[in-house]
């Protein structure tokens, strides 16, 4: 009797199906013939177990789903084969949290795991955070970090000098059992400006209505200098009174949203002498920049 065994793939993505199968043959009157109707068991321990019956051509096949790496041993009534190693590539999950780009704060963070459930996170593994100028690289390792016991990892950095940090980022784990780059993400800053940005009046009585209007434009900081209308941008108008700073307490005058041409308009009540500006946000709530400031006087305030 002769039994063969092989895996359709020895490296699979997490959740991907693969099979372990082969043929069972024997000698009959000096000829090798397929053996049908024999039960073959494939044992991978926690990685999976299964069995199959050989067909008329002596073939058998057992299907598995990649969850964890394992060694699968093929067994039958009269013996067993050497085990077959199947590795599983984990999918590292990554996200980019961008705070105020003008402040230059960016955080790459995520979780390394081999299944959706937290108990299967990959703790204390070495991760390589890499940067490339394009989605296809070439990639350069910027930072090596280790995941925490719950699989979480992070890398905060400053893009105050945009040219040094802008581009595409990914996370890679180069272990022998688990491997897989995370989703590639782009880190970029934006330049914004407000054209036709004006007040209906620059001198207003306290609590009188003032209209502010303009058009929001932007250009990505990765390349190019041509501006485009910031369609349906979320915006808010802020004011700092005399003696205060933008980084300090800022009065929020109104929320609004630009139209399909990037134009916006809103009315608020004057309450102090100072400067006003518009802050622009994406739909996801990420602040991408400010307009230039306008001066307004409120006598006695």
């Amino acid at each position: 009797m002769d039994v063969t065994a092989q895996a359709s793939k020895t490296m699979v993505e997490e959740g991907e199906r693969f099979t372990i199968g082969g043929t069972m043959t024997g000698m009959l009157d000096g000829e090798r013939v397929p053996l049908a109707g024999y039960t073959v068991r494939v044992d991978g321990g926690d990685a999976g177990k299964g069995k199959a019956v050989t067909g008329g051509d002596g073939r058998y096949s057992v299907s598995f789903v990649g969850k964890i790496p394992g060694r699968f041993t093929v067994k039958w009534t009269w013996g067993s084969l050497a085990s077959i190693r199947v590795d599983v590539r984990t999918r590292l999950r990554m996200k980019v949290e961008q705070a105020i780009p003008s402040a230059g704060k960016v955080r790459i963070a995520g979780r390394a795991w081999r299944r959706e459930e937290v108990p299967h996170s990959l703790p204390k593994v070495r991760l390589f955070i890499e940067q490339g100028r394009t989605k296809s690289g070439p990639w350069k390792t910027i930072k090596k970090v280790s995941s925490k016991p719950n699989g979480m990892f992070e890398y905060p950095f400053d893009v105050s000098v945009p040219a040094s940090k802008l581009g595409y980022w990914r996370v890679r784990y180069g272990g022998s059992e688990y491997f897989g780059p995370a989703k590639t993400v782009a880190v970029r800053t934006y330049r914004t400006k407000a054209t036709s940005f004006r007040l209906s009046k620059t001198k207003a009585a306290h609590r009188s209505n003032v209209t502010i209007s303009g058009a929001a434009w932007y250009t990505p900081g990765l390349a190019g200098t041509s501006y485009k209308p910031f369609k349906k941008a979320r915006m808010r108008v802020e004011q700092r009174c005399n003696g205060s700073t933008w980084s300090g307490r800022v009065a929020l005058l109104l929320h609004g949203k630009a139209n399909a041409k990037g134009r916006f308009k809103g009315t608020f009540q004057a309450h102090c002498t100072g400067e006003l500006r518009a802050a622009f946000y994406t739909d996801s709530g990420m602040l991408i920049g400010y307009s230039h400031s306008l001066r307004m006087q409120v006598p006695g305030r």
Side-chain angles (χ1 to χ4, degrees), residues 25-276:
T25 59
M27 297 300 294
L28 179 64
D29 297 331
E31 287 188 40
R32 184 162 294 280
V33 296
L35 299 179
Y38 286 82
T39 299
V40 178
R41 290 178 171 81
V42 182
D43 187 354
D46 293 337
K49 299 178 182 180
K51 65 179 180 179
V53 177
T54 58
D57 57 359
R59 294 183 178 276
Y60 69 92
S61 178
V62 182
S63 178
F64 297 93
V65 176
K67 295 179 180 179
I68 59 174
R71 291 189 177 277
F72 296 83
T73 302
V74 177
K75 302 178 180 180
W76 66 98
T77 304
W78 298 281
S80 64
L81 290 176
S83 57
I84 301 170
R85 174 75 182 188
V86 176
D87 286 316
V88 177
R89 294 177 184 263
T90 187
R91 286 290 188 185
L92 298 181
R93 309 302 166 93
M94 183 178 70
K95 62 182 178 179
V96 171
E97 297 179 356
Q98 282 185 286
I100 301 174
S102 60
K105 302 298 183 183
V106 177
R107 190 172 80 104
I108 291 179
R111 186 192 299 274
W113 51 27
R114 65 173 182 247
R115 288 186 189 175
E116 295 294 334
E117 298 87 355
V118 174
H120 296 283
S121 298
L122 299 179
K124 299 180 181 179
V125 295
R126 197 71 161 169
L127 301 170
F128 300 87
I129 297 179
E130 301 175 330
Q131 181 193 27
R133 294 299 297 172
T134 68
K135 278 189 174 181
S136 57
W139 299 99
K140 178 182 179 183
T141 299
I142 301 298
K143 185 73 173 179
K144 296 178 183 179
V145 298
S146 295
S147 62
K148 298 177 181 179
N150 62 355
M152 295 297 294
F153 63 88
E154 67 174 353
Y155 173 52
F157 59 90
D158 196 313
V159 289
S160 297
V161 184
S164 65
K165 297 295 183 182
L166 297 182
Y168 296 90
W169 293 77
R170 72 177 186 180
V171 178
R172 179 175 60 84
Y173 173 53
S176 59
E177 293 185 359
Y178 307 99
F179 174 86
K183 179 182 178 182
T184 302
V185 294
V187 175
R188 63 182 69 201
T189 59
Y190 294 82
R191 291 190 296 276
T192 57
K193 66 179 180 179
T195 60
S196 304
F197 187 45
R198 63 171 64 92
L199 297 170
S200 60
K201 48 188 173 183
T202 57
K203 189 173 183 178
H206 181 54
R207 293 188 181 280
S208 65
N209 288 337
V210 179
T211 299
I212 189 169
S213 60
W217 293 69
Y218 80 100
T219 183
L222 275 176
T225 57
S226 60
Y227 285 84
K228 300 178 181 179
F230 192 8
K231 299 178 181 180
K232 298 183 179 180
R234 296 184 182 277
M235 49 80 64
R236 70 183 191 188
V237 176
E238 304 171 338
Q239 182 180 33
R240 62 176 182 180
C241 300
N242 282 347
S244 63
T245 63
W246 289 120
S247 59
R249 186 171 183 177
V250 176
L252 174 60
L253 300 181
L254 62 89
H255 282 283
K257 194 170 185 178
N259 62 21
K261 295 183 178 180
R263 297 184 179 279
F264 60 88
K265 187 175 183 179
T267 301
F268 63 93
Q269 287 189 338
H271 74 282
C272 75
T273 294
E275 291 181 291
L276 298 92

